[in-house]
Amino acid sequence: MLTRIDHIGIACFDLDKTVEFYRATYGFEVFHSEVNEEQGVREAMLKINDTGDGGASYLQLLEPTREDSTVAKWLAKNGEGVHHIAFGTADVDGVAADVRSKGVRVLYPEPRVGSMGSRITFLHPKDCGGVLTELVTAAKSDEEH
Ligand code: MC0
């Protein structure tokens, strides 16, 4: 079961500048930041609110760390903007299997490591009306519920 918008991923060329825009314009502070080498991104998570399932909703600001990363490729083609949406679930494996059985391409055979130790997978945007869609099980909070 999907229980929340876990995050909206926003691709940018300059992470520090984009973080400052969200701070100065809306007052959002960085909750967590990290580099995910496998995904080729440097990211900042801005927490918007806690959610009823024990998780939370974030904006995820993404800057590519290498030219061959998916986000660098996307930025070169589209410029800055919303890159993907992510739904939260306590059971990323189960939801991925269910979605796959409905004919949607799940991009990873097994979930990989995402922000803050989460387990993530992606659904192909061409099977989701042009929206790159991510499924996330948070490291701790979801599993407690
Ligand atoms: C590509 N396409 C997209 C898209 N990226 N459409 C909507 N939103 C996106 N973000 C479209 C292209 O425009 C193209 O359509 C078609 O998909 C094929 O794209 P491509 O540029 O030729 O690239 P591919 O096929 O090599 O790769 C696309 C694919 C890839 C979605 C498979 O980007 C991927 O594996 N993404 C999942 C991983 C990811 O994005 N990681 C970064 C965030 P046309 O019509 O032109 O053919 S990491 C993250 O978010 C982690 C850290 C976390 O949340 O914890």
Side-chain angles (χ1 to χ4, degrees):
M1 187 171 62
L2 301 172
T3 50
R4 64 178 184 278
I5 302 277
D6 184 90
H7 65 265
I8 297 171
I10 296 171
C12 62
F13 293 110
D14 184 331
L15 185 63
D16 297 338
K17 195 172 152 193
T18 306
V19 162
E20 177 54 19
F21 169 80
Y22 279 92
R23 191 201 62 75
T25 309
Y26 307 113
F28 294 141
E29 300 289 346
V30 175
F31 179 79
H32 173 85
S33 58
E34 69 181 80
V35 172
N36 186 322
E37 294 290 359
E38 182 181 36
Q39 294 288 342
V41 293
R42 189 162 83 92
E43 61 175 70
M45 298 294 273
L46 314 183
K47 193 175 190 175
I48 307 303
N49 63 283
D50 291 310
T51 54
D53 60 359
S57 290
Y58 303 89
L59 288 184
Q60 181 186 64
L61 308 180
L62 299 162
E63 178 194 270
T65 55
R66 51 174 202 268
E67 282 181 14
D68 64 347
S69 72
T70 55
V71 172
K73 206 169 156 184
W74 188 86
L75 277 166
K77 187 174 171 185
N78 302 286
E80 296 183 316
V82 174
H83 178 260
H84 65 271
I85 63 166
F87 296 121
T89 172
D91 179 17
V92 65
D93 302 273
V95 173
D98 181 53
V99 167
R100 188 183 281 118
S101 77
K102 293 170 180 165
V104 174
R105 280 170 286 173
V106 177
L107 295 179
Y108 304 148
E110 298 294 333
R112 296 182 182 175
V113 177
S115 297
M116 299 181 282
S118 57
R119 296 177 69 239
I120 62 169
T121 196
F122 286 90
L123 313 180
H124 202 289
K126 293 294 178 190
D127 297 345
C128 301
V131 179
L132 177 61
T133 303
E134 181 180 344
L135 307 174
V136 182
T137 293
K140 287 175 270 180
S141 53
D142 279 331
E143 287 157 12
E144 290 165 2
H145 286 73

